[in-house]
Amino acid sequence: IFFYTDDWTQEEGTQKWTTPEDKGSVPTVTKSTDGSVTAQATAEVKVTGGTAKATVDSKTATELVKQAKDNKATEVKLEVKAADTKDAKAIQAELPKSALSDIAGKTDAALVLATPQGEVKLDNKVLDEIAKAAAGTNVTIEIKAAAPTLEQTNTIGKSAQVIELTITSGSKTIGKFNGGTATFASELPKALDGKRTAAVCIKADGTLEVLPSKVIEVSGKKHIEFTTSHFSTFAIVDADEAGISEEQITQAEKKNEKLIAGVQATTIKAKSAMVKTKKGKKAIKISWTKSKGYKVDYYQIYRSTKKTKDFKKMFTTKSGSAKSYTNTKDIKKGNTYYYKVRGVRTIEGKKYYTKWSNVKKQKVS
């Protein structure tokens, strides 16, 4: 006997047809005392042959982006629970490409993938680059931890922890982020506790690149955190065993310090002009140039009806290559508007800003 129903889950006797896991995770939003906002969901996990595959269905992904946008989230977090991975050595998280594109385009949030193997944080710029480079409808982020191979022990030592980070979409591997930054943090291996540690990238030729890193505490346990502008094969090492000097570690740390100082010292010069849209409506075009030197991920344009206060963000550009913005909304004849611009760059998961541009005054006649 067949009959039609709008929602079969509401019909009597269907309660046992599904389990809560089949319905996916309902996104939640949490706000911290430091002002950060996280939109979070838990991935569904299936383990096969030592690899835990975590997936987010399109419905959950859409709701996650909506919550992030509505609550102006600083992070979109996807959690892979330890109880679901069954000690898998590799964890693959698969997300719709459209979700990454929406997070990058509709929010300022970073994506955090929290797993038993470690936590990956991809800033908004990285998400935009991944979405542009993706060759399929889905994007897979993989974290794989392993002991060093016999060949690797010659350069990084026996006590090192090797971490392979990869991003794939379709048949394409996405390695470079074109100015974006990724942060990785994992629990410090017991063999390295009390040692002078360092984080390194193992290059294709076997040589090591020392990365900016630091030891942090998470839930009472020591973790090591490092930043990178690309995905590759990395390792947490005993610096002495790997032959890494204190000067090399210091230089890696100073590299970020110099970058931060350079971004913060960057100046911007703005100008404005009255223009008309294609439909003949009045608009105000703000254009700018910045001092030579340090790149930014994107620009923010602020507006006020007062010269020195009450500025509100009007627009965020999609990239650091943008040079202008045309304000077409809320333009009223007789009003005077003031604009200012600043650049933004994420370093080690934290946003840093250029100096504000000069304030531009524009009267609508």
Side-chain angles (χ1 to χ4, degrees), residues 24-55:
S25 169
V26 178
T28 58
V29 176
T30 57
K31 298 181 180 181
S32 301
T33 54
D34 63 0
S36 61
V37 180
T38 302
Q40 180 173 329
T42 302
E44 294 185 32
V45 182
K46 290 184 179 180
V47 182
T48 306
T51 298
K53 188 171 183 178
T55 57

Side-chain angles (χ1 to χ4, degrees), residues 40-43 45 52-55 77-95 111-121 141-145 163-165 183-187 218 223:
Q40 180 173 329
T42 302
V45 182
K53 188 171 183 178
T55 57
K77 189 173 185 179
L78 180 63
E79 183 180 16
V80 180
K81 293 185 177 179
D84 297 333
T85 61
K86 300 178 182 177
D87 297 323
K89 296 299 181 184
I91 296 176
Q92 296 177 345
E94 186 178 85
L95 301 94
L111 175 67
V112 177
L113 175 61
T115 81
Q117 296 287 25
E119 184 174 284
V120 172
K121 184 174 183 179
I141 303 169
E142 181 176 73
I143 305 172
K144 185 177 181 181
I163 301 152
E164 292 183 14
L165 301 178
T183 304
F184 180 81
S186 65
E187 188 174 347
V218 180
H223 285 61

Side-chain angles (χ1 to χ4, degrees), residues 256-267 291-294 354:
N256 267 355
E257 291 176 5
K258 183 179 179 181
L259 182 58
I260 291 168
V263 170
Q264 292 176 328
T266 297
T267 58
S291 62
K292 295 179 181 180
Y294 297 88
T354 66

